[in-house]
Amino acid sequence: MKRTVKRTCSILLSTVFLCIIILTGCSNTGQNSGNAPVTEDGKLDTSKKVELQFYMLGDAPKDLAVIEAEINKMAQEDLNTTVKFNFTTWTDWDQKYKLLLSSGQSIDLIFTAEWTQYQSYAKAGAFLALDELLPVAAPELHKFVPEDMWNAVKIDDSIYTIPATYKEYVNNGFVYREDLRKKYDLPKPVDLETFEAYMDGIKKNEPGMMPVSLNSDVIGNLHDRYTEISSFAGPTKYGVGVKYDNPKEPFIFWGSEEHKAELEMLKRWADKGFIPKNVLNIKDTLQSQITSGKSAAIFGDNPTRFNDAVIKIKASQPDWELAYTPFAEKTGYSTPVHPIHNGFAVPKNSKNAERALAFYEKLVTDKRYNLFTQYGIEGKNYEVDANGYYKLIGDAQSNGFPREGMNGWAWRNPEFMLFDEGYDGVKAIFAELDKVQKPDIFTGFAEDYTSYQAEKAALEQVEKQYLYPLLAGLVTNIDEGIDTFLAKAKQAGLEKVQTEYTKQWNAYVEEQGIQ
């Protein structure tokens, strides 16, 4: 009974959060989106001192207070502003994010991406439109971001986030301990079959090590990786699949033969001991598990994060060796990151929208701000060698601010970026991916769940209760597990959600001229 009550309350809370965002968004549309306060000479008025609330996802670096103090010295002088940097931690970040945007709390800058549902939140009115504010409050930033990128992040013809301008690929690839692969003469992971054979070898020869890094996000770390390497579907939100080469014909993935094949593979992995029985309770990041030696591989990570792991391992375990195989070697194509992927928005409840944009302009375009917040203090956290390469001082445990320690992917400035020598390998990966690049047709889609927000919230809870255990390989009878999951999903309103979502997708494809 308690479990039922807890689940019901969770559904209701989720629905309430969404309703609050929608309702307050509608009533506050346009708030602070008019002309910014300016002085007689046309400059932004900074006569009133303010403190900005800045929210980033993930875990705060140990030296955050030191960096914050340095930044505030400059911001106080330049903008009569101080900033409080807040981090959600990676534990239940999605619920925390939702709460931040629905609670009415005053927040001035918050990270956005397609994986934080930027498009849906923007449609729901969670963020301020920036079109009129940017030219006055952040004119240099407005010029710095190319016009095509501003256009790419627009939702309903308005700008709600500031995109990153660094071109990169965040498509996944296998990350694995190359030293162990060589030692035990294991196959190079290039597809699902060879990756499983690699894990078999690790399990046999290194019984005290997990073959693969996993945590409670089984959707992101197992399902999404499976669909990407299988190359048969794009996003499968609400069980609706879209094939890259046939985007005009979305299909129902949940309950299909492809879905069953995925679950059978994951059940086999669980039976072999690749997936820990307590995986749904693990909160460690995938990267920390491999850099600490707990795990021997990651089932899909992007080239940049792979390189970050290489840096940490080189500093603490120079005898270890990491290797990387892009999924594109199997799928035959890759997509450059969409401008929506990394950005910062001004939430609708910000009391200091203009100053927030002025400060963010400093983060992106002022080298002092950028280097401090991306790399820490030179001589303490990092050094630059004679060839211009970044070098971490100490190791991942002793260093209080590793490279991009604030998860500042969104305010990367290609003109200021520092790379370690190993990043030459990432650039080489990017060069190969350039040869097979195709446009990202998925990220520009902006879902509007206003008409099915209650069903959406209920469906999320059904997924966690019935789909997650299937993905974790914890359900003995897969056919019965799928039937139970689909029955509960239908009770939650699955058909309504799928119908409306598919209709919106088809309209998007038609509007964008996607073939």
Side-chain angles (χ1 to χ4, degrees):
M1 180 65 181
K2 289 182 179 178
R3 185 177 179 183
T4 303
V5 170
K6 182 178 180 181
R7 178 171 170 266
T8 303
C9 288
S10 182
I11 294 172
L12 289 172
L13 282 172
S14 208
T15 305
V16 168
F17 291 158
L18 292 169
C19 288
I20 290 172
I21 291 171
I22 299 281
L23 293 173
T24 58
C26 290
S27 63
N28 285 284
T29 299
Q31 178 184 340
N32 285 337
S33 61
N35 293 326
V38 295
T39 60
E40 290 183 2
D41 58 0
K43 294 182 179 179
L44 184 68
D45 185 354
T46 59
S47 58
K48 177 185 176 183
K49 181 180 178 180
V50 301
E51 179 178 76
L52 302 176
Q53 295 297 322
F54 188 110
Y55 272 85
M56 189 63 224
L57 300 188
D59 301 307
K62 288 184 288 187
D63 281 355
L64 177 63
V66 178
I67 302 304
E68 184 175 275
E70 292 296 326
I71 291 296
N72 280 335
K73 289 178 186 176
M74 296 188 293
Q76 177 67 58
E77 181 178 346
D78 296 337
L79 299 169
N80 197 20
T81 298
T82 56
V83 183
K84 175 64 177 173
F85 292 111
N86 304 281
F87 284 76
T88 62
T89 77
W90 287 119
T91 303
D92 299 324
W93 67 266
D94 49 347
Q95 290 300 316
K96 294 174 184 175
Y97 190 88
K98 185 182 295 183
L99 182 59
L100 285 169
L101 291 176
S102 62
S103 64
Q105 181 177 342
S106 179
I107 300 169
D108 299 297
L109 288 160
I110 194 166
F111 178 79
T112 63
E114 81 283 0
W115 50 276
T116 68
Q117 301 182 56
Y118 159 71
Q119 302 96 312
S120 297
Y121 279 116
K123 270 189 169 292
F127 308 129
L128 294 180
L130 305 178
D131 306 71
E132 296 180 24
L133 286 173
L134 281 163
V136 177
E140 294 304 314
L141 180 63
H142 189 235
K143 295 175 188 174
F144 177 79
V145 177
E147 185 177 357
D148 62 338
M149 288 191 170
W150 287 126
N151 290 333
V153 301
K154 284 184 176 181
I155 304 296
D156 296 335
D157 294 324
S158 292
I159 297 168
Y160 292 99
T161 193
I162 304 159
T165 60
Y166 174 58
K167 182 186 178 183
E168 61 175 331
Y169 290 86
V170 295
N171 304 119
N172 288 296
F174 296 109
V175 177
Y176 51 94
R177 285 280 297 277
E178 174 69 358
D179 57 315
L180 296 180
R181 190 194 71 78
K182 292 175 180 176
K183 180 178 180 180
Y184 300 119
D185 192 26
L186 304 177
K188 173 186 174 181
V190 295
D191 52 26
L192 291 170
E193 291 72 27
T194 50
F195 185 58
E196 184 166 339
Y198 171 85
M199 291 192 292
D200 279 329
I202 295 296
K203 188 68 177 177
K204 176 183 176 182
N205 294 288
E206 296 282 347
M209 178 182 288
M210 287 303 299
V212 61
S213 298
L214 294 171
N215 60 28
S216 59
D217 182 13
V218 290
I219 292 286
N221 302 329
L222 287 172
H223 169 72
D224 289 351
R225 304 300 193 262
Y226 176 85
T227 58
E228 185 177 343
I229 188 63
S230 299
S231 195
F232 66 81
T236 54
K237 196 168 186 179
Y238 315 124
V240 177
V242 180
K243 296 184 178 181
Y244 187 94
D245 58 0
N246 192 16
K248 288 189 172 183
E249 296 187 16
F251 63 97
I252 302 302
F253 175 76
W254 284 345
S256 67
E257 288 301 311
E258 292 100 329
H259 189 206
K260 185 177 179 181
E262 173 195 17
L263 297 178
E264 287 176 342
M265 184 197 77
L266 295 175
K267 179 66 168 64
R268 184 172 67 250
W269 286 11
D271 291 344
K272 287 183 174 183
F274 302 164
I275 303 176
K277 295 186 183 299
N278 69 332
V279 67
L280 296 178
N281 295 317
I282 295 176
K283 301 302 181 183
D284 296 341
T285 66
L286 307 187
Q287 294 72 27
S288 67
Q289 293 176 53
I290 200 167
T291 56
S292 67
K294 291 181 180 178
S295 301
I298 300 177
F299 180 27
D301 209 346
N302 67 60
T304 303
R305 273 208 300 256
F306 157 68
N307 184 65
D308 289 340
V310 169
I311 296 173
K312 292 175 181 176
I313 284 179
K314 187 181 294 184
S316 60
Q317 300 289 344
D319 294 334
W320 295 3
E321 183 182 358
L322 280 189
Y324 186 84
T325 306
F327 284 178
E329 287 193 16
K330 169 67 167 60
T331 63
Y333 73 92
S334 188
T335 56
V337 69
H338 192 282
I340 283 175
H341 183 71
N342 286 317
F344 262 84
V346 178
K348 67 178 186 299
N349 288 318
S350 169
K351 295 181 174 64
N352 308 293
E354 298 84 7
R355 207 78 60 90
L357 291 175
F359 174 75
Y360 197 78
E361 178 180 80
K362 290 289 187 184
L363 281 186
V364 177
T365 64
D366 189 310
K367 190 173 184 179
R368 301 170 303 153
Y369 287 76
N370 192 272
L371 293 182
F372 265 126
T373 54
Q374 294 289 20
Y375 312 108
I377 299 173
E378 186 172 4
K380 177 184 179 182
N381 302 115
Y382 74 99
E383 58 188 15
V384 180
D385 70 14
N387 296 315
Y389 287 119
Y390 165 95
K391 286 189 176 296
L392 181 77
I393 294 177
D395 58 34
Q397 284 68 46
S398 63
N399 192 300
F401 200 96
R403 185 178 182 277
E404 296 187 340
M406 287 179 63
N407 300 338
W409 321 296
W411 64 88
R412 288 171 175 153
N413 184 326
E415 296 176 14
F416 306 147
M417 290 179 76
L418 299 175
F419 301 99
D420 67 288
E421 188 172 359
Y423 204 84
D424 290 346
V426 177
K427 292 178 180 177
I429 294 173
F430 284 179
E432 290 302 309
L433 296 178
D434 278 340
K435 298 175 183 177
V436 293
Q437 66 174 306
K438 292 184 178 182
D440 179 350
I441 64 173
F442 298 111
T443 306
F445 174 53
E447 175 194 1
D448 181 0
Y449 48 75
T450 307
S451 64
Y452 53 89
Q453 56 191 352
E455 290 84 0
K456 176 183 185 294
L459 193 56
E460 288 174 355
Q461 298 306 313
V462 170
E463 287 185 53
K464 289 179 180 179
Q465 187 169 351
Y466 296 99
L467 180 59
Y468 281 33
L470 278 164
L471 292 171
L474 298 174
V475 179
T476 303
N477 189 311
I478 293 174
D479 288 328
E480 289 182 2
I482 292 174
D483 289 343
T484 300
F485 163 61
L486 289 178
K488 297 294 184 180
K490 287 178 180 177
Q491 291 175 13
L494 174 63
E495 292 178 354
K496 176 181 178 180
V497 174
Q498 287 181 333
T499 298
E500 180 58 29
Y501 183 83
T502 301
K503 184 168 67 175
Q504 290 184 31
W505 170 263
N506 289 334
Y508 163 74
V509 168
E510 185 69 26
E511 178 185 321
Q512 297 296 317
I514 296 172
Q515 300 299 319

